[in-house]
Structures are given as structure tokens and as C-alpha cells.
Amino acid sequence: MHYCRKKLENKPGIQFPESLVAQIVNMTERFSFADMKEAFMNTLFLIAAGQDRSDGRGTEGLFERVIIEQLENLRRSIVLGI
């Protein structure tokens, strides 16, 4: 997790606050590396495509909002066996 945070911290528009690290760790218990990669890549693709800026909240906290949503969706898929 530290590696991902380090890689993202200097990218404009992507904030990876320390508080998000613990939240992601708690949300991803028993996730595989592939699950984690899927969530992070989906998040970055959505941000790059600008699809998650239409909610009117702008870019402040965008990465945090999108990664949490992606992790929640992935958790549901895992639980449902999809």
C-alpha cells in the first residue's frame, strides 16, 4: 500500500491521504492482488476518462470517492460470486 501511495502522491488531481490507507486496508481484507489491481486500475481509468466528475463535487477527494466505490462494488461481486 505504501508503494501505491508513494507513486500517486505527486500526481496532480490525485490525493492519497494517510487516512485512506487504513480505510483501504480494512476494506480489502482477503482480497487478492488481482482484486486490488482491478480496483486501482478501474479507479484510475474512470478518473482519466473524467466519468466521475459529473457528480458536481469536482476533483476534491475524487480519488478517495472513486476507489471506495470501486472497492465496494468489487466486494459485492466477490460476495455474490459474480
Side-chain angles (χ1 to χ4, degrees), residues 7-71:
K7 285 297 211 182
L8 294 172
E9 69 185 357
N10 294 323
K11 304 294 184 216
I14 298 180
Q15 297 82 33
F16 201 116
E18 191 66 37
S19 60
L20 184 57
V21 174
Q23 187 174 3
I24 289 175
V25 168
N26 289 332
M27 292 180 76
T28 58
E29 185 177 345
R30 294 188 277 173
F31 273 32
S32 68
F33 175 76
D35 296 332
M36 294 292 295
K37 183 178 174 184
E38 179 179 341
F40 274 86
M41 294 305 295
N42 285 347
T43 297
L44 295 175
F45 286 138
L46 287 169
I47 290 171
Q51 293 180 3
D52 284 303
R53 294 186 197 141
S54 60
D55 64 2
R57 293 186 280 178
T59 59
E60 184 67 31
L62 179 62
F63 180 80
E64 186 171 354
R65 292 193 313 262
V66 178
I67 190 70
I68 288 170
E69 180 181 326
Q70 291 302 306
L71 291 171

